[in-house]
Amino acid sequence: PLRNWNRFLGGLDADGRTGDYSVFADFRGLEIMFHVSTMLPFRSNDKQQLERKRHIGNDVVVIVFQEDESCTFNPAWVNSEFIHVFFVVRERDSALEECKQPLHDQQPEENLAEQYQIATTAQEGVPPYAPHLLSPPVYPRIQPQLGQFLLTKIINAEIAAQH
């Protein structure tokens, strides 16, 4: 819970105005607070959802998680001067196969729901950063190293974007 949170807030507040919950990581001495769109308050009287835009639109790195009914993501849909890198994480399951966008046609059909496909895209001028994605970039969902890999790549993406 964010209420009375006494560690890094990443621009969120601890009194409930920016939501009750978020996702936090303490990784190798770095404190990371994620701005999770579905955890930021939804205000029915705010057509543009400015509070959500204020946080996510000012991030340098944004992670887009596509659930099984999602088929595409276009970074051009997001207008921000600050966002430099997008990570797109897609569940790999039968619903995605309907998109006619094969993720990797050599993967066996079983266990598709237990995999993620990860892609990145960056603004021109952001240099490459490690660690590099597998080819094809498909990862088992239950893999202890996946979280560390993603956090390392996200941190390096932010560093690369700011230099």
Side-chain angles (χ1 to χ4, degrees):
L2 284 174
R3 193 163 302 280
N4 301 319
W5 183 258
N6 62 3
R7 296 184 69 182
F8 179 68
L9 283 161
L12 301 177
D13 62 56
D15 64 9
R17 288 180 293 155
T18 55
D20 295 323
Y21 299 96
S22 192
V23 176
F24 175 83
D26 188 338
F27 182 67
R28 298 182 180 163
L30 295 172
E31 293 186 339
I32 304 163
M33 181 64 76
F34 292 89
H35 298 143
V36 181
S37 65
T38 56
M39 292 181 175
L40 292 168
F42 176 83
R43 305 208 193 303
S44 58
N45 61 343
D46 182 1
K47 286 184 178 184
Q48 293 191 31
Q49 296 303 313
L50 293 177
E51 188 68 20
R52 288 179 171 189
K53 286 182 183 180
R54 179 171 72 94
H55 292 289
I56 296 170
N58 288 320
D59 289 335
V60 174
V61 176
V62 170
I63 303 166
V64 176
F65 183 79
Q66 292 188 294
E67 295 178 315
D68 57 5
E69 69 269 6
S70 300
C71 293
T72 60
F73 171 75
N74 183 345
W77 295 338
V78 182
N79 186 14
S80 170
E81 294 180 29
F82 299 100
I83 299 172
H84 284 66
V85 179
F86 283 99
F87 281 72
V88 180
V89 179
R90 291 172 50 164
E91 285 184 315
R92 178 129 193 233
D93 66 16
S94 58
L96 285 175
E97 301 305 318
E98 297 172 9
C99 295
K100 307 269 190 282
Q101 298 176 3
L103 300 177
H104 181 57
D105 55 11
Q106 296 176 352
Q107 289 287 330
E109 289 300 315
E110 67 271 4
N111 300 323
L112 289 179
E114 297 174 6
Q115 297 177 340
Y116 290 125
Q117 178 191 16
I118 302 170
T120 64
T121 186
Q123 283 186 0
E124 190 174 324
V126 175
Y129 47 90
H132 301 290
L133 294 174
L134 294 175
S135 181
V138 177
Y139 297 83
R141 179 180 292 188
I142 302 172
Q143 179 182 4
Q145 302 86 356
L146 183 57
Q148 292 180 356
F149 171 82
L150 280 174
L151 285 171
T152 301
K153 189 145 183 77
I154 290 164
I155 291 165
N156 289 346
E158 178 143 354
I159 293 167
Q162 294 179 355
H163 286 92

